[in-house]
Amino acid sequence: SAALHCPHVLGNLQYRLKASNVQFHFDPNHNLVNAYASAAMTKDGNVHPDVSMIMYFARLANIIRVTAACVANHHRLIQKNRYTDPGNFKACIRSIGERMEKNDGQFAITDTVFFTKTILFPDGINDETIVTYAQNYTEAMERFILAHELGHICYGHVLGSRDNYDISRMQERDADSFAAQCSSSDTHRETSFLGQLFVTLIFTWYEERVPNAPQTTHPAGLDRLVNA
């Protein structure tokens, strides 16, 4: 709702109409860290001219929640003036990427449990504010992903061919820009930007650290971070 009804979308009639005909699907079984937008299909197997869909995979949801919890823990420690060395935070973030690399681009619920109970909170969560922080960062990251995919839909990328690699990468940059504009119109834009930053980091891990990952149409990770 936050992505589909942000001021950037509602302020443009074309975007608003396309956003009103988006179906959302969650795939709990797909193994890879991924999400994508496409045209919806009619019952007879043809491309639907007006309806689009966004597919969101459980593995991406898993790694987002762990990353958000890591950022939330860092946030809590800073607020309590108990955190002077960012080394632990960096090590934790790095270990999430290494875990995905070890699993060839997957991040299962068992990985989520391992990080939550062994790395992040071995003694449990004693401060409920961290739950609120984690929810906020999770929502910010997911908003950026959905806004990015909505950008593909609003720009008509889902109806054309993406066989040309250079065009595909340009479309990915356009979708990033669209999502960033959605974030800039958000009342929680600071958290939204961190959502963009860490989502970009997750896909950088996937694209550049997983040796068996398929060739991606997304711009290189550093390019996306600079654009952000």
Side-chain angles (χ1 to χ4, degrees):
S1 178
L4 297 177
H5 300 141
C6 72
H8 179 63
V9 173
L10 295 181
N12 182 297
L13 180 59
Q14 179 184 357
Y15 298 165
R16 193 190 322 165
L17 290 174
K18 290 191 175 184
S20 67
N21 289 305
V22 172
Q23 300 175 352
F24 178 79
H25 299 278
F26 180 75
D27 187 338
N29 301 314
H30 199 287
N31 290 329
L32 295 179
V33 172
N34 200 11
Y36 68 85
S38 70
M41 306 299 292
T42 60
K43 291 182 179 181
D44 56 5
N46 295 318
V47 174
H48 200 296
D50 300 317
V51 181
S52 301
M53 60 172 284
I54 295 175
M55 181 67 74
Y56 184 50
F57 295 155
R59 298 300 191 268
L60 179 55
N62 291 339
I63 197 169
I64 278 180
R65 277 152 179 73
V66 170
T67 305
C70 185
V71 178
N73 190 44
H74 183 60
H75 185 169
R76 180 192 64 165
L77 292 173
I78 288 175
Q79 285 205 328
K80 290 199 166 188
N81 297 318
R82 291 167 43 200
Y83 205 78
T84 57
D85 181 8
N88 289 336
F89 174 62
K90 291 180 181 179
C92 180
I93 288 290
R94 188 180 299 115
S95 65
I96 297 173
E98 290 170 349
R99 185 83 171 190
M100 183 171 61
E101 176 184 19
K102 181 180 178 181
N103 294 343
D104 289 335
Q106 300 183 29
F107 204 88
I109 192 66
T110 52
D111 299 308
T112 305
V113 173
F114 169 77
F115 270 95
T116 303
K117 294 188 174 181
T118 305
I119 305 297
L120 286 173
F121 312 111
D123 300 323
I125 299 176
N126 300 318
D127 185 349
E128 286 299 318
T129 58
I130 194 169
V131 176
T132 301
Y133 292 152
Q135 289 173 336
N136 290 342
Y137 287 121
T138 295
E139 291 171 3
M141 295 167 75
E142 290 184 335
R143 278 201 308 272
F144 180 79
I145 289 173
L146 298 178
H148 172 97
E149 302 305 340
L150 180 62
H152 284 307
I153 292 170
C154 288
Y155 290 149
H157 298 162
V158 298
L159 298 176
S161 173
R162 305 183 76 188
D163 295 336
N164 186 299
Y165 192 65
D166 290 332
I167 292 177
S168 295
R169 287 208 161 199
M170 184 60 69
Q171 289 179 350
E172 294 298 334
R173 294 186 183 95
D174 289 343
D176 270 357
S177 177
F178 182 94
Q181 291 178 73
C182 290
S183 298
S184 67
S185 65
D186 194 331
T187 55
H188 306 288
R189 60 180 60 88
E190 292 180 2
T191 304
S192 296
F193 172 71
L194 289 177
Q196 176 180 359
L197 191 68
F198 283 99
V199 163
T200 303
L201 181 61
I202 287 172
F203 282 113
T204 301
W205 290 332
Y206 181 78
E207 295 161 13
E208 299 187 11
R209 301 192 64 184
V210 180
N212 297 324
Q215 186 182 47
T216 176
T217 59
H218 291 77
L222 180 60
D223 188 12
R224 298 186 76 185
L225 287 170
V226 171
N227 288 341

